[in-house]
């Protein structure tokens, strides 16, 4: 049926938009700083909880997104300054052990602070309700996620590809030593990049709270999907991350439609086959850059 197919395509696009923002947040640190941050899912879940409680307080709903971004960016700044900065030059295995341990600690802290129940935000009236397509309902909020997610991704691309700050970040990736001889403090630069990554994770969580809710364990689920999105797309490729988010989002959505009992098996098997065929990802850039 055309209506049912259109609804599932929109479902896949809304899920892909969330994957794109979360994957880009992870890719920023992984590709630009060569740092493996397995605590990225914690930023997503923190952003979700912040959005839920912000909307429950009756404050202006649109402020939930910048508040979640700023709060998680600040948390990222504190995390980067103390335990993580000393591990930038360490092997990836040590980075994985450190950030995974931090994610476990954060998971327990959030369970203690926000509880173990599933929390869903009270959406504003303008984002409630459904839109009928071919006489079939589709949530208005998911349309909002599609528009906001891809618009923010476009803004991030413009930031890194069309601004002087983005050019400086890319130069630091190519040759950090030369940039430091020009008087640029690369430690502050990478701290800003990490804050941006954490803020994107929190912003993704704030957007996703109205679709996926917020609950303990969501951080691990999101982290796995973000890692898959980054790896399948090709490390350091902005276009590859966009394409990969669409591939992963559509694969997971339609596998649940066609093979509900084996949805994860079907979707992840397809992704494994894709990586076997293209081990460097869908789009493998010559340099590690966005």
């Amino acid at each position: 049926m055309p209506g049912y197919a259109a609804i599932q395509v929109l479902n896949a696009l809304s899920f892909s938009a969330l994957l794109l923002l979360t994957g880009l947040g992870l890719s920023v640190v992984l590709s630009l700083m060569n740092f493996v941050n397995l605590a990225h899912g914690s930023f997503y879940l923190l952003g979700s909880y912040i959005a839920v409680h912000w909307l429950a307080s009756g404050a202006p709903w649109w402020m939930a997104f910048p508040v979640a971004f700023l709060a998680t960016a600040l948390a990222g700044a504190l995390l980067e300054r103390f335990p993580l900065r000393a591990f930038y030059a360490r092997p990836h295995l040590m980075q994985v052990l450190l950030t995974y341990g931090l994610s476990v600690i954060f998971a327990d802290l959030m369970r203690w602070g926000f509880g173990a129940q599933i929390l869903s935000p009270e959406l504003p009236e303008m984002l409630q309700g459904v839109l009928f397509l071919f006489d079939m309902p589709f949530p208005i909020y998911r349309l909002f996620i599609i528009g906001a997610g891809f618009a923010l991704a476009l803004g991030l691309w413009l930031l890194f590809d069309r601004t002087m700050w983005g050019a400086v970040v890319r130069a630091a990736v190519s040759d950090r030593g030369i940039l430091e001889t020009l008087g640029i403090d690369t430690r502050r630069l990478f701290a800003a990049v990490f804050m941006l990554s954490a803020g994107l994770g929190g912003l993704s969580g704030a957007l996703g709270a109205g679709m996926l809710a917020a609950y303990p364990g969501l951080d691990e689920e999101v982290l796995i999907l973000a890692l898959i999105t980054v790896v399948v797309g090709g490390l350091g490729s902005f276009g590859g991350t966009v394409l990969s988010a669409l591939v992963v989002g559509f694969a997971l959505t339609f596998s649940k439609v066609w093979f509900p009992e084996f949805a994860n098996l079907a979707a992840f098997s397809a992704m494994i086959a894709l990586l076997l065929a293209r081990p460097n990802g869908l789009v493998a850039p010559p340099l590690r850059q966005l």
Side-chain angles (χ1 to χ4, degrees):
M1 298 189 306
Y4 184 75
I7 292 298
Q8 296 307 324
V9 167
L10 289 175
N11 280 330
L13 283 174
S14 61
F15 191 42
S16 297
L18 281 183
L19 286 178
L20 176 58
L21 278 183
T22 311
L24 286 174
L26 181 64
S27 179
V28 162
V29 166
L30 186 57
S31 60
L32 294 180
M33 300 169 60
N34 197 28
F35 186 83
V36 182
N37 179 25
L38 295 189
H40 190 70
S42 301
F43 295 131
Y44 179 98
L45 185 56
L46 178 60
S48 294
Y49 280 130
I50 290 173
V52 168
H53 286 278
W54 181 270
L55 292 173
S57 70
W61 70 270
W62 59 271
M63 283 293 294
F65 307 115
V67 166
F69 178 87
L70 293 174
T72 51
L74 178 60
L78 295 174
L79 192 64
E80 189 275 341
R81 177 63 183 86
F82 296 104
L84 298 187
R85 183 176 295 181
F87 281 75
Y88 283 166
R90 302 288 182 88
H92 283 167
L93 179 59
M94 297 186 69
Q95 297 172 359
V96 166
L97 291 174
L98 172 66
T99 54
Y100 179 74
L102 289 172
S103 71
V104 174
I105 294 172
F106 295 152
D108 284 345
L109 288 175
M110 284 188 283
R111 183 188 293 268
W112 171 73
F114 299 107
Q117 65 272 28
I118 299 176
L119 301 178
S120 296
E122 287 288 337
L123 296 177
E125 185 176 351
M126 65 180 297
L127 295 179
Q128 295 178 6
V130 297
L131 182 69
F132 284 89
L133 301 173
F134 300 99
D135 295 328
M136 297 195 69
F138 185 77
I140 293 175
Y141 186 74
R142 294 202 175 206
L143 292 175
F144 171 73
I145 288 178
I146 294 172
F150 286 101
L152 288 168
L154 176 61
L156 188 64
W157 174 77
L158 292 174
L159 174 66
F160 279 102
D161 204 69
R162 293 291 186 269
T163 67
M164 182 60 69
W165 186 81
V168 171
V169 172
R170 297 198 308 274
V173 174
S174 300
D175 198 326
R176 180 174 180 175
I178 291 295
L179 205 62
E180 289 178 341
T181 62
L182 297 176
I184 295 177
D185 189 343
T186 55
R187 290 184 302 174
R188 290 187 178 181
L189 184 65
F190 285 149
V193 171
F194 194 89
M195 288 179 64
L196 176 62
S197 170
L200 285 173
L203 181 58
S204 303
L207 284 169
M211 187 172 80
L212 303 178
Y215 54 87
L218 180 61
D219 50 345
E220 294 183 3
E221 298 174 18
V222 166
L223 175 64
I224 292 173
L225 292 175
L227 283 170
I228 291 173
T229 301
V230 172
V231 173
V232 169
L235 183 60
S237 170
F238 189 98
T241 304
V242 175
L243 181 58
S244 176
L246 291 170
V247 169
V248 175
F250 273 77
L252 287 172
T253 300
F254 280 92
S255 63
K256 291 178 181 179
V257 174
W258 294 332
F259 316 104
E261 297 179 355
F262 306 100
N264 289 333
L265 173 63
F268 288 111
S269 295
M271 294 171 205
I272 291 172
L274 183 60
L275 284 176
L276 288 174
R278 297 186 63 87
N280 293 326
L282 295 172
V283 181
L287 296 175
R288 191 174 67 247
Q289 61 182 14
L290 279 177

